[in-house]
Amino acid sequence: MVGVVAQVRIQGGRWESLADDLVTSAPDRLGWSVPPQATVVYPQNAANTSTEAARNAGAGGFPTAGDAWPGMGEEGETCPPSGSPQEASTPTDPWLFLFGEPGVGRLATAARKRLRLLCEAAMNIGQTLDVVRTAEELAEVTVPRLADLVTVDLSESVVRGEEPAALTGDLRRVAVQSAQENGSPVAAGEPVHYPASSHQARCLARRETVLWPDPGGARPVQATEGPISSVIVVPLLAQDRALGAVTFTRWRASDPFEDDDVSLAEELVSRAAVCIDNARRYTRERAISLELEGATASLQQSLALQRRFTTDASHELRTPLAGLRAQLEEAQLHPDQTHPGELIDYALRDVNRLQAIIDDLMLLARLGAAPPAAFKRIDLAELAEAETRSRTGDRHRVRLDVRPGVMVDVVPSQICRVLRNLLDNAQRHAAHIIVVRVRRVSGEAELSVTDDGPGVPEAERDHIFQRFTRLDTARSRDQGGTGLGLAIARDIAHAHHGTLHVQNASPHGARFILRLPLITPS
């Protein structure tokens, strides 16, 4: 650079002439004529003198002594004071004058564009704590201002939020931005593999930027329209660890990349690498936090189930235990008045009741913990038919109304338990007949059990599904079950992402309806 002179006059400021030693040497080498010192005068006609100065400047030389520039006064003078007669003829707009060797304007314009791109990148890259979105922001801000195609490839571990693993060339393309349609043969989200001889592989191996003025040979990046003019591959480095690589590509219609473009690309990628690494750390910390929250919730649920189990057991087990203790104590006090056969019958009845309650409580505690292998795809109609026909000793007849092909993904033993509990409940309340129906309703599988008994009052329809609940008109403890049948049935329905509710049947009776997610048979 031979030399540059710039002078700016701010409205209302003092005009200072340029020093001789700063401006005379460089123009002399260029063959320009420069006065020893600029003469500053106030123009009589600002418009005419401004035009003359512009004409002189356009001729290729400096304004000479005596040229009038807008806003200039005599040497050593300041601008006219406010309100003076000359103020009206003095232009009020600030202005800029710049001259230098040929090409300085192009360089200054390019530098200004690069600086503006860096400023916009600082504002637009890293707006979110998402790894993929941050990579997309880098690609979006650089196309088409720096490159015609930008691709960002990251390690699989980085995308998942894990610590960067050793890069072997197998990456995943997370961002693609192109000035043309279908600019990259590998779409975002797909894996990408670079051969060992590719520039991307060399960039990752050496962790250094690769400038490809003439791509030639094997092309890891190819365009669908026209050949490639130039490529820059920059490694994404964060704390001396490689996260991936960014490839900047220009088509033949664009000028090849220069050294300044390489510096700009490295600065952009360096800033993006910090943002991507921060997003990766956030992703990892968030995943760990969610795992801890899930473990905490599971632990709290387990503790709640244990407390509920203890409460239910202590509440319901006292009655048969108290009866059994009373019988044994009476036999101990009055052995001559005790009949051994009757005592054994009473004791066995209470023991059987205790066993049934414990089994039901254990089943309630295990609900929702079935492993995935326990789920099977079955036809709900076949299950209902098999369970119904296997029953013996029922007081009332059971009629089947099933439609085959109602496929569900369930734990078969648990759905059998639901149907068994519903049938036991219906047998205790039915007058003559019970109907089991299986069908599809509104995209769901429906299993219903209907009896012709007295029905369930509307105010009690939710209450009967609570544990150890018995309606006054239902049954006594001696005649009924454990009081857990309907509670178990509803919990099983919820564990299978289904529902269980009751409604009145026509003309009388109750209909218990189980609905489960329907699976379309393959």
Side-chain angles (χ1 to χ4, degrees), residues 13 20 31 34 46 50 113 129 201 209 268 270 311 345 459 502 514:
D20 296 340
V34 182
S50 177
K113 289 181 178 179
L129 287 173
T209 301
L268 290 171
S270 175
T311 302
D345 290 340
V502 61
L514 169 67

Side-chain angles (χ1 to χ4, degrees), residues 251-305:
W251 307 141
R252 184 67 67 185
S254 304
D255 294 333
F257 287 116
E258 300 176 351
D259 291 338
D260 291 337
D261 298 319
V262 174
S263 300
L264 177 60
E266 290 177 339
E267 179 65 22
L268 290 171
V269 173
S270 175
R271 298 187 182 190
V274 175
C275 297
I276 290 176
D277 192 51
N278 289 338
R280 177 196 65 80
R281 293 175 182 274
Y282 170 78
T283 301
R284 179 57 178 167
E285 295 299 329
R286 183 173 181 272
I288 294 175
S289 177
L290 291 177
E291 291 178 1
L292 291 176
E293 290 179 2
T296 302
S298 177
L299 179 60
Q300 291 177 348
Q301 184 179 6
S302 299
L303 293 175
L305 289 175

Side-chain angles (χ1 to χ4, degrees), residues 130-323:
D130 181 82
V131 173
V132 175
R133 181 55 194 154
T134 304
E136 292 173 348
E137 291 168 348
L138 170 62
E140 291 170 359
V141 80
T142 52
V143 174
R145 301 174 63 179
L146 176 62
D148 299 318
L149 170 66
V150 174
T151 59
V152 182
D153 305 323
L154 296 178
S155 169
E156 290 282 1
S157 59
V158 174
V159 177
R160 294 191 300 266
E162 301 172 359
E163 292 294 330
L167 300 181
T168 59
D170 293 325
L171 305 174
R172 181 167 297 276
R173 180 148 297 170
V174 296
V176 176
Q177 188 72 17
S178 175
Q180 303 176 356
E181 293 185 1
N182 302 322
S184 172
V186 180
E190 297 182 2
V192 58
H193 174 73
Y194 291 123
S197 60
S198 66
H199 290 271
Q200 279 80 1
R202 189 179 68 179
C203 168
L204 294 174
R206 300 181 180 180
R207 297 188 180 184
E208 63 181 13
T209 301
V210 174
L211 173 61
W212 196 0
D214 183 11
R219 290 188 176 89
V221 181
Q222 294 183 357
T224 58
E225 298 182 13
I228 295 174
S229 170
S230 186
V231 170
I232 299 175
V233 185
V234 185
L236 273 161
L237 300 178
Q239 296 184 353
D240 201 29
R241 293 176 297 182
L243 309 180
V246 182
T247 304
F248 301 89
T249 304
R250 283 183 179 175
W251 307 141
R252 184 67 67 185
S254 304
D255 294 333
F257 287 116
E258 300 176 351
D259 291 338
D260 291 337
D261 298 319
V262 174
S263 300
L264 177 60
E266 290 177 339
E267 179 65 22
L268 290 171
V269 173
S270 175
R271 298 187 182 190
V274 175
C275 297
I276 290 176
D277 192 51
N278 289 338
R280 177 196 65 80
R281 293 175 182 274
Y282 170 78
T283 301
R284 179 57 178 167
E285 295 299 329
R286 183 173 181 272
I288 294 175
S289 177
L290 291 177
E291 291 178 1
L292 291 176
E293 290 179 2
T296 302
S298 177
L299 179 60
Q300 291 177 348
Q301 184 179 6
S302 299
L303 293 175
L305 289 175
Q306 290 180 2
R307 288 194 296 266
R308 191 173 182 180
F309 176 86
T310 304
T311 302
D312 293 341
S314 61
H315 173 273
E316 193 68 14
L317 294 178
R318 286 194 181 112
T319 300
L321 283 175

